[in-house]
Amino acid sequence: MVRRRVVVHGRVQGVGFRYALARAAETRGVAGWARNLPDGTLEAVFEGEPEAVESLVRLCREGPRGAEVERVDVFEEEPEGLARFDVG
């Protein structure tokens, strides 16, 4: 079990990014959350098996159609044992 927190910079709000992450997390068995921040970035946390979590980090670098990702900051954190994926 691993945990990654990401902050995605660019045109990432208003393009369905959080919901794309939620769908992808559900199909991969990854828990966590995603939310838009006031500065225009998107922050998300992923907890799960290493390969599944890394696939979501890769998805953050691409984004859904309509997104323009400029940069993704990735932070390793200790897992908290989250049980589901929430969109805030």
Side-chain angles (χ1 to χ4, degrees), residues 4-15:
R4 299 287 181 272
R5 183 171 58 88
V6 298
V7 179
V8 187
H9 301 260
R11 188 167 148 237
V12 297
Q13 293 188 8
V15 294

Side-chain angles (χ1 to χ4, degrees), residues 3-6 8 17 21 28 44-46 50-63 69 72-75:
R3 176 182 170 110
R4 299 287 181 272
R5 183 171 58 88
V6 298
V8 187
F17 211 130
L21 290 177
R28 292 164 173 83
V45 163
F46 310 121
E51 290 179 14
V53 168
E54 290 308 317
S55 74
L56 286 169
V57 172
R58 283 193 302 273
L59 178 60
C60 287
R61 291 189 172 102
E62 300 166 11
V69 177
V72 178
D73 300 327
V74 182
F75 306 93

Side-chain angles (χ1 to χ4, degrees), residues 9-85:
H9 301 260
R11 188 167 148 237
V12 297
Q13 293 188 8
V15 294
F17 211 130
R18 293 171 296 159
Y19 299 100
L21 290 177
R23 284 190 302 273
E26 184 175 328
T27 64
R28 292 164 173 83
V30 172
W33 49 263
R35 65 183 177 183
N36 289 332
L37 297 180
D39 66 359
T41 61
L42 177 140
E43 181 181 31
V45 163
F46 310 121
E47 284 190 10
E49 294 300 319
E51 290 179 14
V53 168
E54 290 308 317
S55 74
L56 286 169
V57 172
R58 283 193 302 273
L59 178 60
C60 287
R61 291 189 172 102
E62 300 166 11
R65 183 171 34 189
E68 294 177 18
V69 177
E70 295 172 2
R71 184 176 94 235
V72 178
D73 300 327
V74 182
F75 306 93
E76 288 187 37
E77 298 181 344
E78 286 296 316
E80 295 179 0
L82 298 176
R84 63 176 198 232
F85 197 91

